[in-house]
Amino acid sequence: MEVCYNANTIAGHPDVHSPVTTLTKENAPAFYEPDVQILTSGGLRIPVHASILVSASPVLENITDRPRKHRSSEKVIPILGVPCGAVSSFVGFLYTSRCTEEEMEKYGIHLLALSHVYSVPQLKQRCTKGLGERLTIDNVVDVLQLARLCDAPDLYLRCMKLAASRFKAVEKTEGWKFLQDHDPWLELQILQFMDEAESRIKRTRRRRQEQGLYLQLSEAMECLEHICTEGCTSVGPYEVGPTKNRGPCSKFSTCQGLQLLIRHFATCKKRVNGGCLRCKRMWQLLRLHSSMCEQSDSCRVPLCR
């Protein structure tokens, strides 16, 4: 069965088209005649085929299978609370599984609600993506409320991230003021999300600082062994004196600072009374090395054993 749209608009609604089917010679015309009407809030009646509704939506299937009060009465399914154009676009999607960008721009919020109420997952996925691409500061609160009601977690998270990142601008909108007056629980959820996001940022920053400190200490340990075993530009083991021809090593910035610290440690007179901070730092490095060294018997680092 090929599906298309009637070129003639429904009376009184020039922007709404009625879905019809193209018949073949082999098909009986009576079988393809619309047998159900959808009633909109504006009083518009859209003729549709029950077989299409049943195949597209389990909710509409249950409604269609309900017994009529009178056998001769026409089956009417009311879809109220949304614009007539949104209902027409919804019916069009049931027939074609397509939704234009213009329809999404105009009726995206209504289509998401309809897709949730009538359990049409393909349309719900399309609306989630389309509304997510059209989020703005002004509509993010409204879309967030709808995403929560319609159980659209991807869209909900996307709204939360935008609201948290642009909160100062969002709290000036009418949607936020309405939220404060009518949905304090959702307001609390947004503030908690912001607090958790800030905590995650702080934890990440702290972990990076800890990793940086670990790398610095690891590099200092390597340089300490290098200086005490091979020698560097100005400090080395007693049997290997420093030479002017020796060039800087690959970690010279760390080695240079450590060499200055070692030379100070060797000549400082304050360290006897524990009053020198630089000497304390050198002691800490020597203790750290001795706690990590696995070859203390042959290690060339002073005081390792």
Side-chain angles (χ1 to χ4, degrees), residues 23 42 46 57 64 66 77 176 245 263 269 272 287 305:
L23 305 179
I46 304 176
S57 166
T64 304
R66 290 175 185 171
I77 299 176
W176 180 259
N245 297 328
R263 296 181 70 173
K269 298 180 180 179
V272 176
R287 285 199 189 99
R305 187 181 301 178

Side-chain angles (χ1 to χ4, degrees), residues 40-67:
T40 68
S41 297
L44 174 68
R45 289 175 178 263
I46 304 176
V48 295
H49 303 80
S51 59
I52 297 295
L53 302 184
V54 168
S55 64
S57 166
V59 177
L60 290 174
E61 179 182 7
N62 293 334
I63 297 174
T64 304
D65 291 341
R66 290 175 185 171

Side-chain angles (χ1 to χ4, degrees), residues 34-37 45 47 68 70-77:
D35 51 355
V36 179
Q37 289 199 3
R45 289 175 178 263
R68 308 181 193 180
H70 305 285
R71 289 186 177 180
S72 60
S73 64
E74 188 177 31
K75 183 171 285 293
V76 177
I77 299 176

Side-chain angles (χ1 to χ4, degrees), residues 8-289:
N8 299 320
T9 57
I10 297 175
H13 297 273
D15 62 330
V16 180
H17 300 272
S18 174
V20 296
T21 58
T22 301
L23 305 179
T24 64
K25 294 180 180 179
E26 293 79 8
N27 295 329
F31 181 78
Y32 289 100
E33 291 179 359
D35 51 355
V36 179
Q37 289 199 3
I38 291 180
L39 178 65
T40 68
S41 297
L44 174 68
R45 289 175 178 263
I46 304 176
V48 295
H49 303 80
S51 59
I52 297 295
L53 302 184
V54 168
S55 64
S57 166
V59 177
L60 290 174
E61 179 182 7
N62 293 334
I63 297 174
T64 304
D65 291 341
R66 290 175 185 171
R68 308 181 193 180
K69 293 182 180 179
H70 305 285
R71 289 186 177 180
S72 60
S73 64
E74 188 177 31
K75 183 171 285 293
V76 177
I77 299 176
I79 297 182
L80 309 175
V82 296
C84 298
V87 178
S88 179
S89 297
F90 174 68
V91 173
F93 187 88
L94 299 182
Y95 273 82
T96 65
S97 297
R98 295 188 185 92
C99 183
T100 65
E101 292 296 324
E102 183 180 355
E103 289 174 327
M104 185 58 60
E105 184 72 32
K106 194 172 183 180
Y107 303 118
I109 290 179
H110 307 293
L111 290 174
L112 177 60
L114 291 173
S115 68
H116 176 69
V117 171
Y118 294 101
S119 298
V120 185
Q122 286 184 331
L123 179 58
K124 190 173 186 178
Q125 185 178 5
R126 174 73 176 85
C127 292
T128 297
K129 181 180 178 182
L131 290 174
E133 294 171 350
R134 290 170 172 80
L135 282 179
T136 64
I137 298 299
D138 294 326
N139 71 4
V140 65
V141 175
D142 296 330
V143 177
L144 176 62
Q145 290 176 296
L146 183 63
R148 183 184 61 167
L149 293 173
C150 294
D151 190 23
D154 292 343
L155 182 60
Y156 181 85
L157 180 59
R158 195 163 182 172
C159 292
M160 277 288 196
K161 288 181 178 179
L162 177 59
S165 62
R166 302 292 301 279
F167 181 70
K168 289 186 178 180
V170 170
E171 66 178 347
K172 296 178 182 179
T173 62
E174 293 297 324
W176 180 259
K177 296 176 183 177
F178 180 87
L179 183 71
Q180 288 181 307
D181 295 334
H182 298 89
D183 199 345
W185 176 245
L186 183 56
E187 178 189 6
L188 179 61
Q189 285 182 316
I190 296 174
L191 296 176
Q192 287 178 338
F193 180 87
M194 293 172 56
D195 184 64
E196 291 172 0
E198 183 65 25
S199 298
R200 283 195 299 270
I201 293 174
K202 290 181 179 179
R203 285 197 301 269
T204 302
R205 188 180 298 121
R206 185 166 58 249
R207 281 197 297 267
R208 287 178 180 174
Q209 291 175 348
E210 291 172 354
Q211 289 175 355
L213 178 59
Y214 174 79
L215 291 175
Q216 290 177 3
L217 289 174
S218 177
E219 188 171 296
M221 293 297 98
E222 291 179 6
C223 289
L224 182 62
E225 292 182 20
H226 158 66
I227 292 172
C228 296
T229 304
E230 304 170 358
C232 200
T233 54
S234 60
V235 178
Y238 64 90
E239 73 275 11
V240 182
T243 61
K244 296 181 179 180
N245 297 328
R246 180 178 295 162
C249 62
S250 60
K251 300 175 182 178
F252 183 68
S253 59
T254 303
C255 263
Q256 186 180 30
L258 195 54
Q259 288 179 94
L260 293 175
L261 191 61
I262 292 173
R263 296 181 70 173
H264 168 83
F265 183 75
T267 58
C268 181
K269 298 180 180 179
K270 293 182 180 179
R271 66 185 173 91
V272 176
N273 298 323
C276 181
L277 294 177
R278 296 179 68 185
C279 290
K280 286 182 179 180
R281 190 173 301 133
M282 189 66 213
W283 274 114
Q284 290 173 347
L285 290 175
L286 292 173
R287 285 199 189 99
L288 180 60
H289 167 81

